[in-house]
Amino acid sequence: MNSTIGLGVPVPKMLPVTGTWTLPFTAYLLLLSNRVVYQRIKNKQFLGDRLKPEDTKATDNTNPDPLYLENRCHQNFLENVPLAFILTAIAELNGANRTVLNYAMAALFALRVGHVELGLRGKDAMAPGRLMGLLGSQGFLGGMAAYGTYLVKGYWGY
């Protein structure tokens, strides 16, 4: 599990769990990004986060603006996942249990996909996946921050 840099100095792989989860999260981010692009091309709206009022029948949650909806799916993902990766990497670098981290990242991935696919894109943009994704993601962030802090408690003399 070592790599070499420079003149052959062995360097251990320090973030294998975080590195493992980059592919599924990035693949899903690309899907969300392409959905925004699709709405922009389909509706010829290349700037802004909403369609022009005359281009849409959006009135409320029962008939949302498709560009705005896809933008929010994309933005919600980007509001949570980068910090989740930072917290996971910090925990991993400080000796976190790799099995725990893998299960936590798998749960976060399921929560983020559920937030969009079973929530925002569901009935009236308020399907049950939305609340589960929100609360689960907040729980992940708080829990991972607490876990990372726990791992370095000795530094503070506890």
Side-chain angles (χ1 to χ4, degrees):
M1 274 198 39
N2 287 335
S3 298
T4 57
I5 60 168
L7 300 172
V9 178
V11 178
K13 289 184 176 29
M14 294 184 286
L15 297 170
V17 174
T18 307
T20 298
W21 286 96
T22 58
L23 180 62
F25 278 93
T26 301
Y28 191 62
L29 176 62
L30 292 173
L31 173 67
L32 295 175
S33 298
N34 285 321
R35 285 178 178 168
V36 173
V37 170
Y38 171 76
Q39 287 299 327
R40 290 189 181 287
I41 292 170
K42 176 182 170 190
N43 295 291
K44 296 183 176 122
Q45 180 70 31
F46 301 105
L47 188 61
D49 63 351
R50 299 170 197 252
L51 297 178
K52 295 178 186 123
E54 61 272 10
D55 293 343
T56 182
K57 296 176 184 151
T59 54
D60 55 17
N61 282 352
T62 59
N63 190 20
D65 178 328
L67 177 58
Y68 183 71
L69 177 67
E70 298 302 351
N71 265 314
R72 287 308 311 153
C73 292
H74 184 253
Q75 291 166 358
N76 282 336
F77 188 85
L78 288 174
E79 289 167 0
N80 291 278
V81 173
L83 180 57
F85 266 85
I86 291 168
L87 294 173
T88 302
I90 289 169
E92 190 170 6
L93 287 170
N94 284 295
N97 181 309
R98 290 182 175 166
T99 302
V100 169
L101 291 180
N102 268 308
Y103 281 120
M105 290 299 279
L108 180 66
F109 185 73
L111 288 164
R112 294 315 310 162
V113 170
H115 182 258
V116 171
E117 306 302 330
L118 305 173
L120 285 168
R121 298 183 92 222
K123 184 175 180 345
D124 300 339
M126 288 297 294
R130 189 170 182 184
L131 184 60
M132 286 188 325
L134 167 72
L135 296 176
S137 295
Q138 288 180 343
F140 176 94
L141 293 173
M144 195 57 69
Y147 187 36
T149 302
Y150 168 77
L151 292 169
V152 297
K153 69 182 185 300
Y155 176 78
W156 298 103
Y158 293 104

